[in-house]
Amino acid sequence: MTYAILGVFSVQFFFYLCIQYSNAVTATILQYISPVFMLVYDFFIAKKRISNTALIYVVLAMAGVFLMTTKGDLSNLSITPLALLFGLLSALAVVFNVVLPQRFARRYGLLNTVGWGMLTAGLLSNFLYPIYHVPFKLDGLSIAISIIIALFGTAFSFLISMKAASLVSPLIVAVVGASEPLSSAVLSVLFLGMVLDMPLVIAMLLIIVPMALLSIEESTLKK
């Protein structure tokens, strides 16, 4: 229940609330500072030692996300008090979404944990805004799109994220998750004709290199 409410539901709910009170760029930036909250969790709750290099890697990766999302134009940002609140709550929810289900996944399995978490979160969402209030045309195309989003955009991504958290540290999962704009940019360059300019290259390097170095450091500490 805690995973469903604080994790699955809150990640989506507060992210879209942040968009409602600002814009998609601002919501993306705020949600993807989740590695900072993960560092706080590791230090104060998990009692893990945080190295100075890990801090540097996280800051560099966040700088890359910021540059890639805003393209260096700060005018794209729209910060209001409510947007800031909801954005920070969505970032905090990312931490809950990574940390909370681990014990249940080890006991009941990944598929059961993700499935029941999403079902519970969906039922909660329906209480807040019943599905019959949603204005949409129910046809074959809309049903197909909904199924694709539910399976590949949500369930599969949550399942992979949880599996990753069982193999590497939650901090690495949070940093990799925050690099989602990187995958969007790569796909856009490959298939949508987006120009690979210098700011985009710098942003990619700022994300990829720190992630790789952080993973190497984490694996070295485990040995």
Side-chain angles (χ1 to χ4, degrees), residues 17 64 76 97 118 142 165 177 179-180 185:
L17 272 182
N76 290 326
N97 196 54
M118 293 186 63
S142 62
S179 65
E180 182 179 322

Side-chain angles (χ1 to χ4, degrees), residues 103-127:
R103 180 167 60 90
F104 299 100
R106 287 192 295 269
R107 183 173 181 180
Y108 300 107
L110 294 174
L111 193 59
N112 288 330
T113 303
V114 172
W116 281 105
M118 293 186 63
L119 178 61
T120 306
L123 292 175
L124 176 61
S125 301
N126 197 58
F127 277 113

Side-chain angles (χ1 to χ4, degrees), residues 127-198:
F127 277 113
L128 295 178
Y129 197 85
I131 190 171
Y132 54 78
H133 286 170
V134 180
F136 66 92
K137 181 181 179 182
L138 189 61
D139 55 20
L141 179 60
S142 62
I143 293 176
I145 292 174
S146 298
I147 292 175
I148 291 173
I149 293 174
L151 290 179
F152 297 101
T154 307
F156 188 67
S157 63
F158 275 56
L159 189 64
I160 293 298
S161 175
M162 193 182 301
K163 179 61 177 179
S166 68
L167 299 175
V168 297
S169 75
L171 177 59
I172 293 180
V173 175
V175 173
V176 173
S179 65
E180 182 179 322
L182 173 62
S183 59
S184 299
V186 171
L187 292 175
S188 297
V189 170
L190 293 177
F191 300 108
L192 300 179
M194 189 172 77
V195 178
L196 187 64
D197 54 13
M198 186 54 64

